Amino acid sequence: MTDGATVVDRARRHAVPARVLLTQVLPVALGLLDAFLVNGTEPGLPLWLSLASALVLLVRRRCPEAAVVVSLLGMYIGYIWFAPMIALCTLAARRAGTAVVVAGALALALAHYLPYPLGDWTPTAGRQSVLDVLDSCVLGAGAVVFGRWARMRSQLRDRVRDLTESRHREAELRAERAVSTERARLAREMHDVVAHQVSLISLQAGALQVTCRDDASRERAGTVRDLAVKTLEELRHMVGALRSGGGTGAGLAPQPRLADLPRLAAQSGLRVALDLGGVLGDGPGAHARSWPEAVERAAYRTVQEALTNVRKHAPGAEVRVTAEVRDAGTAGEALTVDVRNGPAAPAAAPRSPVTRSPRAATACWACGNVHCCWAVRSPPTRRATAAS
């Protein structure tokens, strides 16, 4: 339940005693007082009908028609006013139909105008008779107008309460949508930027651990790689928490896989030759393999970084990306990604090209039962820069 609905319900609960007093006790008390003031305490038909007219007001909300009929009898015979006026007002407030309300107003005007017993009455066309007719019509019309006003006021109050609750719900939905959008933005930034950078740190640390000859440096590189892997795991849990807490998480970028490499090559702006048959299972004699998501994502980021370096330092060069599965001995199968580029195109070569010595680096780490290796090598006779 919304805060607005809670406040409204609390106010309605506190207003119950006063409402009962005004709507139940006070009308009956006025009817009884009117009955005794007009008819005295002497028992008789006028007094009994007047008292019945006052007591019937207790059920006027459930049976307004019956209350009007009984109170009109008390008005005609006992000459009371309060009970029939209150009953007709309730009828106009509780019933939407016009015919029954008009009939009740006419009946009240006749009961007020015609005397009891009727045999003693002689119609006249004098001034007093006209005033009596107008007085009776004003009583009937006044009760109906007041009842219709009370009905309209009740409808407006309900409408205002519905609008208030609707606005509170809309405010809560807007707040939830803003929180969901912010969660999705944070998760997207963490997923697309931070996770990519930490993956590169882990890759470079693994390459340093393999190629470095100093034992102390190799140990420090291994520590950096382990910390990077743990950071990726914690980051993955945080992104999952943000994604689940933000709803559907429709704004998050999808996780890149090996199957996305052709699209990456097409969008790189380079002449890229892909050889992924042994990995995706679409080559001759190859069969499909299921790699862990972290393995495929790291391989994708490796190729992405390599293509970025080729585009930066050897624009226009031909690039060949090869992914294959090799036997890693006791560690199981190993996924190897090899990216090689040729020299930059003469027209697109930069004025001050960056030159690096030919080298080969391999970063290795374990993911479950699969030992995964990525190698990014430059041609030994080329001067163009290879991705690292």
Side-chain angles (χ1 to χ4, degrees), residues 366-385:
C367 297
N369 296 326
V370 181
H371 185 72
C372 311
C373 303
W374 289 268
V376 181
R377 303 183 179 89
S378 60
T381 57
R382 307 287 187 180
R383 290 174 58 86
T385 303

Side-chain angles (χ1 to χ4, degrees), residues 68-83:
V68 169
V69 172
V70 175
S71 61
L72 286 180
L73 289 176
M75 184 179 194
Y76 179 63
I77 298 176
Y79 300 102
I80 57 175
W81 283 14
F82 282 107

Side-chain angles (χ1 to χ4, degrees), residues 59-134:
V59 295
R60 72 186 188 278
R61 292 180 177 274
R62 296 183 179 180
C63 304
E65 293 85 357
V68 169
V69 172
V70 175
S71 61
L72 286 180
L73 289 176
M75 184 179 194
Y76 179 63
I77 298 176
Y79 300 102
I80 57 175
W81 283 14
F82 282 107
M85 293 283 291
I86 294 173
L88 182 59
C89 179
T90 304
L91 178 67
R94 306 287 290 184
R95 296 292 182 260
T98 304
V100 65
V101 176
V102 172
L106 292 176
L108 186 143
L110 290 175
H112 179 266
Y113 177 73
L114 297 176
Y116 176 81
L118 191 59
D120 297 340
W121 175 68
T122 301
T124 60
R127 179 173 176 271
Q128 186 62 38
S129 179
V130 174
L131 290 177
D132 291 340
V133 171
L134 292 178

Side-chain angles (χ1 to χ4, degrees), residues 229 231-241 293-294 297:
V229 172
T231 303
L232 282 175
E233 292 295 332
E234 295 178 359
L235 187 61
R236 188 177 298 110
H237 289 304
M238 293 177 61
V239 170
E293 181 181 352
R297 184 171 63 251

Side-chain angles (χ1 to χ4, degrees), residues 113-161:
Y113 177 73
L114 297 176
Y116 176 81
L118 191 59
D120 297 340
W121 175 68
T122 301
T124 60
R127 179 173 176 271
Q128 186 62 38
S129 179
V130 174
L131 290 177
D132 291 340
V133 171
L134 292 178
D135 188 20
S136 301
C137 293
V138 168
L139 287 178
V144 171
V145 169
F146 189 79
R148 288 302 189 187
W149 172 81
R151 178 181 177 84
M152 183 179 299
R153 183 172 177 272
S154 177
Q155 292 177 346
L156 290 177
R157 183 175 61 250
D158 295 340
R159 179 60 177 168
V160 170
R161 184 174 65 251

Side-chain angles (χ1 to χ4, degrees), residues 325-344:
V325 180
R326 296 179 180 178
D327 187 4
T330 58
E333 292 182 336
L335 173 63
T336 302
V337 177
D338 185 83
V339 182
R340 298 177 182 272
N341 67 277

Side-chain angles (χ1 to χ4, degrees), residues 4-373:
T6 304
V7 172
V8 171
D9 292 341
R10 188 182 300 113
R12 293 176 65 181
R13 286 195 298 269
H14 288 304
V16 166
R19 176 182 250 177
V20 171
L21 178 64
L22 291 176
T23 60
Q24 298 294 336
V25 179
L26 184 60
V28 175
L30 290 176
L32 293 175
L33 180 63
D34 187 21
F36 285 112
L37 289 177
V38 174
N39 297 283
T41 58
E42 183 179 356
L45 182 60
L47 179 60
W48 302 133
L49 286 177
S50 299
L51 294 177
S53 300
L55 295 176
V56 80
L57 295 178
L58 294 173
V59 295
R60 72 186 188 278
R61 292 180 177 274
R62 296 183 179 180
C63 304
E65 293 85 357
V68 169
V69 172
V70 175
S71 61
L72 286 180
L73 289 176
M75 184 179 194
Y76 179 63
I77 298 176
Y79 300 102
I80 57 175
W81 283 14
F82 282 107
M85 293 283 291
I86 294 173
L88 182 59
C89 179
T90 304
L91 178 67
R94 306 287 290 184
R95 296 292 182 260
T98 304
V100 65
V101 176
V102 172
L106 292 176
L108 186 143
L110 290 175
H112 179 266
Y113 177 73
L114 297 176
Y116 176 81
L118 191 59
D120 297 340
W121 175 68
T122 301
T124 60
R127 179 173 176 271
Q128 186 62 38
S129 179
V130 174
L131 290 177
D132 291 340
V133 171
L134 292 178
D135 188 20
S136 301
C137 293
V138 168
L139 287 178
V144 171
V145 169
F146 189 79
R148 288 302 189 187
W149 172 81
R151 178 181 177 84
M152 183 179 299
R153 183 172 177 272
S154 177
Q155 292 177 346
L156 290 177
R157 183 175 61 250
D158 295 340
R159 179 60 177 168
V160 170
R161 184 174 65 251
D162 294 340
L163 288 177
T164 302
E165 294 177 358
S166 176
R167 288 184 177 180
H168 278 284
R169 288 193 297 268
E170 291 178 358
E172 289 182 353
L173 290 177
R174 286 195 296 268
E176 291 177 359
R177 190 178 299 111
V179 172
S180 176
T181 302
E182 185 64 17
R183 285 177 177 270
R185 186 188 68 81
L186 291 176
R188 183 170 55 249
E189 292 294 332
M190 295 174 64
H191 172 267
D192 293 345
V193 179
V194 181
H196 173 53
Q197 300 297 334
V198 176
S199 299
L200 293 179
I201 293 174
S202 177
L203 179 64
Q204 297 293 343
L208 180 61
Q209 183 183 12
V210 174
T211 58
C212 186
R213 297 181 179 179
D214 186 11
D215 293 338
S217 300
R218 187 183 300 108
E219 183 178 356
R220 295 190 188 97
T223 302
V224 172
R225 182 181 61 81
D226 293 339
L227 292 176
V229 172
K230 291 180 181 179
T231 303
L232 282 175
E233 292 295 332
E234 295 178 359
L235 187 61
R236 188 177 298 110
H237 289 304
M238 293 177 61
V239 170
L242 288 174
R243 183 179 300 178
S244 61
T248 58
L252 297 178
Q255 296 284 341
R257 308 297 291 264
L258 289 174
D260 298 324
L261 288 178
R263 179 173 55 85
L264 176 64
Q267 296 176 355
S268 65
L270 300 171
R271 293 175 294 174
V272 181
L274 293 175
D275 184 9
L276 308 176
V279 176
L280 300 180
D282 53 358
H287 58 282
R289 290 176 171 83
S290 177
W291 299 97
E293 181 181 352
V295 174
E296 295 198 17
R297 184 171 63 251
Y300 179 91
R301 296 302 185 189
T302 301
V303 176
Q304 184 183 44
E305 185 70 13
L307 293 179
T308 300
N309 288 341
V310 171
R311 186 169 54 251
K312 183 187 303 183
H313 302 297
E318 295 184 359
V319 183
R320 181 174 182 83
V321 179
T322 305
E324 57 184 355
V325 180
R326 296 179 180 178
D327 187 4
T330 58
E333 292 182 336
L335 173 63
T336 302
V337 177
D338 185 83
V339 182
R340 298 177 182 272
N341 67 277
R351 295 181 179 180
S352 300
V354 179
T355 303
R356 294 182 183 178
S357 59
R359 54 194 170 94
T362 304
C364 308
W365 61 90
C367 297
N369 296 326
V370 181
H371 185 72
C372 311
C373 303

